[in-house]
Amino acid sequence: MKKVIWLLFCSFVVLAGCSAKEETPKSAEAQTTAEKEPAKPTEQEESSETADSGFEPAVPEYYELEGVGRELTSVEKELLRKPGIYAGDRYDEQKVQEALRQLPGDLTKEEYLNEMLHLLGEDYQEGMKTYLTFDPTVKVDLERPDGNVEQPKLKKAHYAILIDASGSMKATVAGKTRMESAKEAVLDFAKQIPEDATVSMRVYGHKGSGNRADKELSCTSTESFYNGKFEEGAFREALNNVKPAGWTPIGLVLDTVKEDIPPEVDEAVVYVVSDGIETCGGDPVKAASGLVAGNIQTVVNIIGYDVDNEGQTLLKKVADAGNGEFIYVNSEKELKRYMKEQYEIIQQQWWEWKEAGKEDAWAQKEDLKELARTTKETLQEQVIREKERLVDARQFLRDTFDDNDSIIELSNYIIDKKVKKYNYVTMKGQELYNESIKNGQKEYHDVIKEGQKNYYETIQEKNKQ
């Protein structure tokens, strides 16, 4: 009996053990299933997640440049996109990654690049402004003695010629009257005045006669016969109208010549051609002093033609008061020699213009070359930097969103965009660089050619005297 009871007890223990072993894997399987199937979110949690997933794409903004004058290419428009939040020196890799981590995982490659440029796009505005408004023209803006363009600090001048038309100018010297010799010298001189300058011719003492009865008329007579740019035909015709007649009001003509000098000139050179002293009771020394005291830099040169010793002394005082020089000539030959010296002054102006123009053209060319080169290199550096940062950002997205086709394709897309930008800034910069050299060299040689031509022409005119 005891034996039967013991066998029943052992059987019960075995059955209980087997039952326990069967229940353990069943519980594990239920637990695994529970882990694979997340719990259904509550209504509050579902509302919160929907709000957080709302994605608003970045809207690109672009700079607008004035003075371009043509439609921009697609690459140029891209390069004028306003910079990203972390562009240039503001770059912060950690903040960039935080922003990238917020992006949805289902964007297109174009949308991803737009968001990345919103964060990392470089600021190309200054370089593009230089490119799109770049003027490779090299132009020597110097005032030529012949008046074609403005001269580099060669002052704008007016030449005032005052001709004595008193009766004594009828006197004959070496077969010509003093007036005839004076007219020839004045005409030859006027031909050499820089075309950008103006010239005036004023006559004094040309009315009445040398008789005392006509003194008041003659002493109050002064008249402008010519004023403006030199035109040989008109100037010659005006000279032909000058007839020697009366007395010599030098003080009056020096007071009146102020009316002939344009207010915009920098300097005035007054030439008084006279064969004698003041005979009308005027004060030419005082008049000359007043003339040079004005706002326009003025000198008074006196050309004394066959003047006696007393006359030379008095006329020299007038020239001294006018900060000028007194030149005594007693023949047509000496008069022309003086005028030849004036040609040499103009000849020197042409030489100075040529030398200054050469330096100006060279300096402009070098400045433009440097601007084109530095702009190109700066833009190249920006394109490379932008591309490297975009590549890093793309790799971060790749690590964040596994097996995303758009992000995989993004690599070649970034490279393609970089190549287009890089090629544009390189080719454009080189184009402007080459144009600057070409234009600079042309202007440099043109200045030399023009300066030399006019320089030697002035010598030829001088040698004719």
Side-chain angles (χ1 to χ4, degrees):
M1 184 66 178
K2 289 180 179 180
K3 186 176 180 179
V4 171
I5 293 172
W6 173 251
L7 289 173
L8 288 172
F9 174 76
C10 289
S11 298
F12 177 79
V13 170
V14 171
L15 288 173
C18 292
S19 175
K21 286 180 182 180
E22 288 176 358
E23 289 177 2
T24 299
K26 199 170 183 181
S27 299
E29 182 179 356
Q31 183 178 358
T32 302
T33 303
E35 289 176 353
K36 288 184 178 180
E37 296 179 4
K40 192 171 182 180
T42 65
E43 182 176 345
Q44 181 179 358
E45 289 173 339
E46 185 174 3
S47 174
S48 175
E49 287 177 0
T50 302
D52 291 343
S53 64
F55 170 68
E56 293 185 7
V59 178
E61 297 181 12
Y62 298 89
Y63 290 112
E64 293 183 6
L65 296 182
E66 295 182 358
V68 178
R70 63 173 175 81
E71 183 71 22
L72 299 180
T73 66
S74 58
V75 176
E76 289 170 337
K77 291 177 181 177
E78 287 183 34
L79 287 165
L80 284 173
R81 175 170 174 157
K82 292 187 177 181
I85 301 170
Y86 304 108
D89 296 336
R90 300 193 301 272
Y91 181 67
D92 186 320
E93 184 178 15
Q94 183 176 352
K95 290 182 179 179
V96 170
Q97 291 180 355
E98 289 176 3
L100 293 174
R101 193 177 286 113
Q102 306 304 316
L103 296 178
D106 58 350
L107 300 183
T108 66
K109 63 181 180 182
E110 289 84 4
E111 290 173 328
Y112 276 122
L113 182 58
N114 178 61
E115 299 303 320
M116 292 159 72
L117 289 174
H118 181 66
L119 298 171
L120 301 168
E122 288 287 320
D123 189 352
Y124 300 102
Q125 181 196 19
E126 286 302 317
M128 289 302 295
K129 182 178 179 181
T130 298
Y131 269 7
L132 296 175
T133 60
F134 192 92
D135 183 1
T137 303
V138 175
K139 186 66 177 176
V140 174
D141 192 19
L142 308 180
E143 187 179 350
R144 292 168 171 81
D146 69 357
N148 290 338
V149 187
E150 292 177 293
Q151 184 177 345
K153 305 307 179 184
L154 280 180
K155 295 179 179 178
K156 189 172 183 180
H158 177 79
Y159 296 84
I161 303 172
L162 311 182
I163 301 177
D164 181 359
S166 62
S168 58
M169 289 293 283
K170 297 175 184 178
T172 301
V173 179
K176 287 184 179 180
T177 66
R178 292 173 180 170
M179 181 59 76
E180 289 172 340
S181 297
K183 286 181 179 181
E184 289 181 11
V186 166
L187 179 60
D188 288 343
F189 172 71
K191 289 178 182 178
Q192 298 306 312
I193 288 175
E195 291 182 11
D196 190 56
T198 51
V199 59
S200 61
M201 177 174 54
R202 177 172 283 274
V203 181
Y204 57 100
H206 62 300
K207 292 184 179 181
S209 67
N211 297 328
R212 185 161 296 278
D214 289 333
K215 182 176 180 180
E216 183 177 355
L217 173 62
S218 184
C219 286
T220 56
S221 63
T222 177
E223 184 177 353
S224 174
F225 276 34
Y226 188 93
N227 199 335
K229 294 294 182 72
F230 176 75
E231 294 179 6
E232 183 175 349
F235 194 86
R236 187 189 296 274
E237 183 180 349
L239 270 176
N240 290 337
N241 291 328
V242 180
K243 309 294 182 185
W247 298 66
T248 313
I250 299 177
L252 173 66
V253 76
L254 286 175
D255 279 332
T256 313
V257 73
K258 297 175 184 177
E259 302 172 5
D260 304 334
I261 301 173
E264 69 273 11
V265 300
D266 299 303
E267 65 180 15
V269 183
V270 178
Y271 292 92
V272 181
V273 182
S274 179
D275 69 343
I277 61 173
E278 168 78 35
T279 60
C280 291
D283 189 346
V285 172
K286 180 181 178 181
S289 298
L291 188 58
V292 301
N295 295 328
I296 297 172
Q297 181 181 346
T298 305
V299 296
V300 179
N301 295 324
I302 307 293
I303 305 171
Y305 190 21
D306 199 23
V307 183
D308 60 24
N309 290 335
E310 180 187 4
Q312 291 180 41
T313 301
L314 293 175
L315 290 176
K316 188 177 187 310
K317 290 181 180 179
V318 178
D320 290 342
N323 293 333
E325 58 181 355
F326 170 74
I327 304 298
Y328 170 72
V329 294
N330 63 1
S331 67
E332 181 182 11
K333 181 178 179 181
E334 289 187 358
L335 182 58
K336 288 192 174 183
R337 183 176 63 189
Y338 172 72
M339 291 304 183
K340 183 181 291 188
E341 292 173 358
Q342 303 307 301
Y343 292 144
E344 291 175 353
I345 294 174
I346 298 172
Q347 177 184 329
Q348 181 63 25
Q349 287 179 335
W350 271 114
W351 181 267
E352 292 173 357
W353 179 86
K354 183 194 71 171
E355 293 301 309
K358 283 167 54 180
E359 292 181 10
D360 191 17
W362 186 270
Q364 287 185 51
K365 181 195 71 171
E366 292 301 306
D367 288 346
L368 288 172
K369 279 173 52 183
E370 181 65 12
L371 178 59
R373 183 187 66 79
T374 55
T375 302
K376 179 187 74 173
E377 292 178 355
T378 299
L379 289 172
Q380 285 176 328
E381 290 173 3
Q382 288 182 286
V383 170
I384 292 173
R385 182 170 61 202
E386 181 182 275
K387 175 252 183 182
E388 290 175 348
R389 290 176 178 177
L390 288 174
V391 168
D392 290 343
R394 179 259 177 190
Q395 185 59 48
F396 178 80
L397 289 173
R398 180 79 185 274
D399 295 340
T400 303
F401 302 102
D402 292 333
D403 298 328
N404 185 306
D405 290 340
S406 295
I407 296 175
I408 293 173
E409 294 172 1
L410 191 57
S411 178
N412 290 334
Y413 193 53
I414 291 172
I415 293 173
D416 180 62
K417 292 288 185 182
K418 175 261 179 184
V419 168
K420 289 180 180 178
K421 289 181 179 179
Y422 191 88
N423 287 346
Y424 169 81
V425 300
T426 301
M427 294 174 65
K428 188 68 174 179
Q430 195 62 44
E431 173 191 333
L432 299 177
Y433 183 90
N434 292 339
E435 286 185 21
S436 300
I437 295 175
K438 177 183 176 182
N439 294 341
Q441 290 177 340
K442 181 180 183 301
E443 186 70 3
Y444 180 86
H445 292 297
D446 285 349
V447 164
I448 294 176
K449 182 178 178 181
E450 182 180 352
Q452 292 284 59
K453 173 179 175 291
N454 288 283
Y455 177 80
Y456 287 116
E457 283 182 358
T458 306
I459 293 176
Q460 291 173 1
E461 291 296 328
K462 179 186 71 174
N463 292 336
K464 292 178 183 178
Q465 305 304 312

